Amino acid sequence: MKISLLQQMYEDVVGGIPLAKESHHYTSLLNLHVEQPPERDESCNQMHLPSTNDGIRSHQDTDMSDVVVPTTDDISNSFANMNSSFCPREVMLLQLTLIKVMVAKAESQEIEFNVRQKYCEIFVLLLKEAKIDSKLICLLSSDDQLLTHMASKSLASLVYFQLKEENALNVTWLTFSLKTLSGFPVNTHIAECLWTLTTIIKDILKDKVLPKAGILKKLLTPLDAVLEGFYDSILFHHFDSHHYTSPYSEAANNLISFIDLLEALLASRIELELPLRCQRVLFLKVSYVLNLISSSIHYLIKKLFIMLLKKCVLYKSREDAKSGSLFLQNPSSREDMLALSNAVLQVVNLTWLDQIPLGEKASYFGGSEDAQGSSDQTVLRALSLVVLKALEFKFQNSATEAEIKGDFQSSMSQLLIFWRSHMKSSAQSHPVVHHCEWLSLIFIEQDDDMWEAAKALLLIYLKFDRLRHDAADNLSRKEEETWNFLTHASGCNPHCIFLFFLEKIAFDSTVLLDFLISSETCFLEYLVRYLKLLRKDWQQFVDICNHFDTKHSTFQSVSSVKPPHQENQSCMTDESLQNACCEPEPQTPVSFTSSHNYSVFTTEQGDNEVAESNQSNSLICTDSTSLLGSLQSLVDYDSSEDSELESDGKECLVNTKQVPLNNEDETRVRESGCSYTDDKRNALKSEVLPLKQKGSNTSSCLTFIESSDNIVPLRIMLFKSTKCLEELQKAISRLQRRNLFPYNPSALLKLLSHIEKISKNVNPQ
């Protein structure tokens, strides 16, 4: 009889139908009978309510409400086919489901006020008279995993309801939580307690009306000291124990549940003007986490902690997190970030990264076989970002160059070694020969992380440069060369980083435009800062572009000492640009760091690097279509009717300089079509076209003749990079005129316009 009444009550609640009978009637229906632990009944195997596996409780249970609670249609169909012979377990599951659904309905403004008021009366009776909270706590110790999970969710809902409606903390639940957490490690049955607290915090954070600060303070203040003590107890452990080698053990499950709680506490601290100690402990005692990550604990737990550290340094513990700048306005937040940064850099300098064996890259549906055997790129990026952001924050809080130079050199040395060891070149990729290229290779698959990393290195560069100039008004040429070499050797030169990235996207301005429009990256902030640097540091940008061209234009020279098959003209496409090394060469050796061998930062030169030559009669051909089209932009920005006529992205720079060639008269550089023959680099077959054919849509390539006495600069990289920025400026202007740009880009357009003027005034030689 009771089950049929519960069925009818469920249908009324889901349908929003007012409950007609008195509140005591419904309280008796929802009252749990837990005098004895409910046992599984073999006759209940054909129940239609959803069930979970009976294994160890998973840390994911806190996010399984959509799975466990069935939809209205599913329940209605199930009830229609059920008989009245329900076992006690299934009755209890339906009661728990009803409690959770009713709490959600009571919080919904779409439900009529009198209906919500009725639900509130029922909850008061359940808590005051039926002592439903004590019975739910008893269910948390059940061996039935589904009952335990549902009891945890229902208990969290009721505690949250009391906090919101009565502004009171449930004393029964608080007593249970204090006893459970303070009893660890003697009492190891703690996961359910952690689930409940985590769910309550998340429910508070999701509420758009509730004054979060006051409610969070009321919830966490009584637990503050106990949570910090629990942090010490659970993390100050010997994790080499076999209990932590499997993610399915109780010990591992407790730890994973605690990670979920730490993430919720991290998300909640941004709501309080003065965070509590339990919200700060992850920052102040991060060394426990760092030691755990380098232990022999299961890889899944390591990965979860690494991703949690990444959220710490990015201030993005919630999807709708507030700005990181607001976070850092709080003095305690700055103190916490500095403590975390110092701890991270300290262990990194002690080869901590080498002690973290990354798992294999995760398999994805439709993935290629090349991914097999490679490192987990998600964890690789996360660890890299943690180190870079720690360096950035350490720089922001340092007053002199001497304070940070040692940490910077040592940490970047370790990071470069870490990258090299986990990014093995495949047969299709080229060896990395310049340290500034690592950033785009590591982060190219994750846009938001890439621009956070690029911004961190840019801010480090700017702060370092400012400290140098503050220390000495006039820097000598030797000091400038040493500084330039340091930035390239450590992989943080902003011009190199930007140019390598432009190469990776084939100089496609629409990709940059996608980043600017997206709210998921910090590309706008990065680009504005970089353009300001570019405006005052133009000559170094030009020099680095020339270094790119110099390295890209090295080729097998035509020489009498070469074999006959090597005396043909060679053609290089833009793909060969990736073998560049734009590393400046100082006139004097530089001692990069006292603790690491200098060879760590030297350029790796392999067989693929072609020797430079001063011989004449050499031809270089670049086909810009080799990379164009490799990436598709998200939006076709040239589709509007009044779009300005722009190039199709396939033109190539034509150099019309006249260069002496042996004993002949002056030879004019002309456009030429070029093609390859086979894989063995046979002789280039080129057909010189008339110079007047500038309007042709055919992909063209740059040709120039070089002599030992007069070398004409290519300026390929300078042309393509400035052309990309010009196209970006035009696209933004078009969208702004039509009021289609999501924000006011006036300041950005002003910077881009200034860069365009500078580039057009540059001496072509």
Side-chain angles (χ1 to χ4, degrees):
M1 182 65 181
K2 184 173 183 178
I3 189 62
S4 60
L5 295 176
L6 281 172
Q7 293 174 3
Q8 184 61 48
M9 183 180 177
Y10 185 92
E11 292 174 356
D12 291 343
V13 170
V14 171
I17 301 173
L19 300 178
K21 298 182 180 181
E22 62 178 10
S23 299
H24 281 88
H25 170 75
Y26 298 105
T27 302
S28 63
L29 288 178
L30 295 175
N31 192 15
L32 301 173
H33 298 281
V34 291
E35 288 80 6
Q36 295 179 354
E39 297 179 357
R40 301 278 318 261
D41 189 338
E42 295 300 328
S43 65
C44 299
N45 291 335
Q46 297 181 356
M47 288 298 109
H48 295 272
L49 282 173
S51 62
T52 58
N53 293 332
D54 292 330
I56 288 294
R57 290 176 284 273
S58 169
H59 66 284
Q60 296 178 343
D61 288 346
T62 55
D63 296 323
M64 290 173 57
S65 57
D66 292 335
V67 177
V68 175
V69 180
T71 63
T72 306
D73 293 338
D74 292 339
I75 285 291
S76 300
N77 294 334
S78 298
F79 286 164
N81 298 319
M82 283 182 182
N83 56 42
S84 59
S85 59
F86 272 72
C87 67
R89 174 180 181 269
E90 304 305 329
V91 173
M92 195 170 294
L93 284 172
L94 182 53
Q95 289 172 318
L96 295 174
T97 301
L98 257 172
I99 292 173
K100 181 163 175 51
V101 172
M102 287 176 65
V103 172
K105 294 287 185 179
E107 301 297 330
S108 174
Q109 298 299 318
E110 299 178 359
I111 305 299
E112 295 180 6
F113 175 77
N114 61 329
V115 175
R116 290 188 282 122
Q117 189 67 25
K118 184 79 169 184
Y119 294 163
C120 292
E121 292 176 3
I122 296 173
F123 295 146
V124 171
L125 291 174
L126 282 171
L127 290 166
K128 303 295 185 183
E129 297 182 5
K131 306 296 182 184
I132 191 71
D133 45 5
S134 298
K135 296 177 180 180
L136 290 171
I137 290 172
C138 289
L139 278 180
L140 294 182
S141 59
S142 170
D143 292 332
D144 189 309
Q145 310 306 312
L146 182 54
L147 277 176
T148 301
H149 168 70
M150 289 301 299
S152 172
K153 304 290 278 187
S154 299
L155 179 60
S157 298
L158 289 174
V159 174
Y160 167 63
F161 170 81
Q162 282 187 285
L163 275 170
K164 182 175 182 180
E165 299 298 329
E166 302 176 5
N167 195 26
L169 187 59
N170 187 289
V171 177
T172 304
W173 169 80
L174 177 61
T175 304
F176 160 73
S177 299
L178 292 173
K179 181 180 178 180
T180 302
L181 296 176
S182 59
F184 184 85
V186 177
N187 174 26
T188 60
H189 204 68
I190 59 170
E192 298 77 16
C193 175
L194 299 174
W195 297 348
T196 306
L197 178 56
T198 303
T199 304
I200 296 170
I201 296 174
K202 290 182 177 180
D203 286 343
I204 294 173
L205 295 177
K206 288 187 293 186
D207 198 307
K208 298 180 180 179
V209 181
L210 192 69
K212 299 181 180 62
I215 296 296
L216 283 170
K217 200 167 185 180
K218 182 178 289 291
L219 171 69
L220 296 176
T221 299
L223 295 166
D224 196 22
V226 173
L227 283 173
E228 182 178 3
F230 179 74
Y231 180 95
D232 296 339
S233 298
I234 194 170
L235 295 186
F236 194 68
H237 240 334
H238 297 291
F239 291 102
D240 296 332
S241 167
H242 68 279
H243 296 296
Y244 294 94
T245 56
S246 169
Y248 305 107
S249 66
E250 182 185 43
N253 187 46
N254 290 339
L255 198 54
I256 293 172
S257 302
F258 185 54
I259 295 174
D260 290 338
L261 176 59
L262 287 175
E263 184 176 347
L265 290 171
L266 175 63
S268 67
R269 67 171 287 160
I270 206 170
E271 302 292 344
L272 299 182
E273 184 176 350
L274 294 175
L276 299 173
R277 185 76 181 181
C278 63
Q279 296 171 310
R280 302 180 60 191
V281 66
L282 177 59
F283 293 82
L284 300 178
K285 298 182 179 181
V286 71
S287 58
Y288 291 0
V289 174
L290 298 175
N291 292 335
L292 184 148
I293 291 174
S294 60
S295 70
S296 60
I297 202 167
H298 192 273
Y299 180 71
L300 171 63
I301 302 176
K302 292 184 181 184
K303 182 171 183 176
L304 291 173
F305 268 115
I306 291 170
M307 302 310 293
L308 181 61
L309 288 180
K310 174 185 168 183
K311 292 181 179 180
C312 288
V313 299
L314 292 180
Y315 331 122
K316 286 167 62 176
S317 54
R318 289 163 52 195
E319 292 181 1
D320 58 340
K322 296 180 182 179
S323 169
S325 60
L326 295 178
F327 178 87
L328 292 179
Q329 289 176 4
N330 193 313
S332 62
S333 298
R334 289 194 294 270
E335 178 185 344
D336 294 351
M337 277 303 304
L338 188 58
L340 184 145
S341 300
N342 287 332
V344 168
L345 296 180
Q346 182 179 1
V347 296
V348 167
N349 294 338
L350 297 175
T351 66
W352 175 73
L353 291 172
D354 296 338
Q355 303 172 36
I356 307 175
L358 300 187
E360 291 188 0
K361 180 184 289 188
S363 300
Y364 296 99
F365 179 77
S368 63
E369 296 181 357
D370 294 338
Q372 296 180 357
S374 59
S375 299
D376 188 336
Q377 301 300 298
T378 300
V379 176
L380 178 64
R381 286 190 295 267
L383 279 171
S384 304
L385 202 53
V386 168
V387 176
L388 292 175
K389 298 296 286 188
L391 278 172
E392 175 197 340
F393 197 81
K394 182 71 178 290
F395 269 52
Q396 290 177 357
N397 291 270
S398 300
T400 63
E401 180 182 355
E403 291 181 41
I404 53 180
K405 189 172 183 180
D407 276 339
F408 174 70
Q409 294 175 341
S410 179
S411 298
M412 289 305 299
S413 169
Q414 293 295 329
L415 194 56
L416 288 166
I417 295 173
F418 180 65
W419 286 344
R420 186 181 297 110
S421 63
H422 290 287
M423 285 289 290
K424 302 183 185 301
S425 299
S426 63
Q428 292 80 15
S429 64
H430 68 281
V432 177
V433 294
H434 193 288
H435 294 150
C436 293
E437 189 177 6
W438 277 113
L439 191 75
S440 56
L441 290 175
I442 296 292
F443 292 98
I444 194 66
E445 294 181 2
Q446 192 71 33
D447 301 339
D448 51 348
D449 288 355
M450 176 173 63
W451 295 119
E452 286 286 355
K455 186 183 74 171
L457 286 176
L458 177 59
L459 292 175
I460 290 171
Y461 177 92
L462 294 174
K463 181 64 179 286
F464 221 145
D465 192 47
R466 184 164 60 251
L467 292 177
R468 287 174 55 251
H469 286 89
D470 290 345
D473 294 335
N474 296 317
L475 297 173
S476 65
R477 180 177 179 182
K478 181 179 179 181
E479 289 174 326
E480 289 291 348
E481 290 175 346
T482 302
W483 161 243
N484 289 334
F485 174 72
L486 172 67
T487 62
H488 289 286
S490 58
C492 72
N493 186 279
H495 303 303
C496 264
I497 290 173
F498 187 66
L499 291 173
F500 274 120
F501 169 73
L502 290 183
E503 278 191 335
K504 296 297 184 295
I505 65 169
F507 301 91
D508 188 347
S509 62
T510 58
V511 176
L512 301 183
L513 187 58
D514 291 337
F515 288 145
L516 284 174
I517 292 176
S518 172
S519 60
E520 298 178 355
T521 73
C522 63
F523 180 66
L524 173 63
E525 181 183 356
Y526 165 82
L527 185 61
V528 169
R529 290 180 183 273
Y530 177 70
L531 292 177
K532 289 180 179 179
L533 171 67
L534 183 59
R535 183 175 57 185
K536 70 174 185 178
D537 202 18
W538 178 259
Q539 188 54 51
Q540 187 184 5
F541 176 76
V542 173
D543 292 341
I544 291 177
C545 287
N546 291 338
H547 274 288
F548 266 75
D549 294 333
T550 300
K551 294 297 180 180
H552 298 337
S553 62
T554 55
F555 46 81
Q556 300 281 349
S557 63
V558 179
S559 172
S560 58
V561 299
K562 297 290 182 180
H565 69 277
Q566 294 185 1
E567 295 182 7
N568 298 312
Q569 293 173 328
S570 62
C571 179
M572 299 176 66
T573 68
D574 285 2
E575 292 175 341
S576 66
L577 295 179
Q578 296 181 11
N579 293 327
C581 176
C582 53
E583 188 170 297
E585 299 176 1
Q587 296 177 354
T588 58
V590 179
S591 177
F592 190 69
T593 177
S594 59
S595 60
H596 299 279
N597 193 301
Y598 168 73
S599 63
V600 170
F601 296 98
T602 57
T603 303
E604 301 95 351
Q605 296 182 356
D607 295 336
N608 65 308
E609 182 174 356
V610 188
E612 293 190 40
S613 174
N614 289 329
Q615 299 295 329
S616 62
N617 301 338
S618 299
L619 177 68
I620 291 183
C621 174
T622 60
D623 183 0
S624 62
T625 62
S626 61
L627 288 181
L628 287 170
S630 62
L631 293 175
Q632 284 188 334
S633 63
L634 301 178
V635 185
D636 184 6
Y637 299 104
D638 293 329
S639 60
S640 56
E641 295 179 359
D642 54 343
S643 296
E644 295 144 358
L645 181 62
E646 292 188 12
S647 67
D648 60 357
K650 296 183 179 181
E651 66 252 11
C652 188
L653 178 63
V654 178
N655 192 330
T656 57
K657 284 283 180 179
Q658 294 180 347
V659 185
L661 176 63
N662 291 345
N663 297 326
E664 298 180 6
D665 293 331
E666 294 177 348
T667 304
R668 182 174 298 276
V669 177
R670 301 181 180 181
E671 294 178 349
S672 71
C674 56
S675 60
Y676 291 96
T677 53
D678 55 22
D679 296 336
K680 298 182 179 180
R681 296 184 181 178
N682 290 333
L684 169 68
K685 297 180 179 180
S686 61
E687 193 176 83
V688 179
L689 303 176
L691 188 61
K692 63 182 180 180
Q693 295 182 359
K694 295 182 180 180
S696 173
N697 290 329
T698 305
S699 300
S700 59
C701 59
L702 173 69
T703 306
F704 82 94
I705 307 300
E706 173 184 320
S707 72
S708 59
D709 298 326
N710 190 358
I711 300 178
V712 179
L714 286 174
R715 304 251 183 205
I716 298 174
M717 183 60 72
L718 180 62
F719 169 78
K720 290 187 175 183
S721 57
T722 54
K723 179 70 172 177
C724 180
L725 293 177
E726 290 174 17
E727 292 173 350
L728 177 63
Q729 178 188 357
K730 293 177 181 178
I732 296 174
S733 298
R734 282 199 307 274
L735 292 175
Q736 185 189 32
R737 287 196 302 269
R738 300 173 182 84
N739 294 321
L740 296 176
F741 209 74
Y743 51 85
N744 185 1
S746 300
L748 179 60
L749 286 173
K750 185 176 180 181
L751 283 170
L752 288 169
S753 177
H754 192 79
I755 297 301
E756 181 183 12
K757 292 178 182 177
I758 296 176
S759 65
K760 290 183 177 179
N761 292 332
V762 171
N763 189 335
Q765 293 186 356

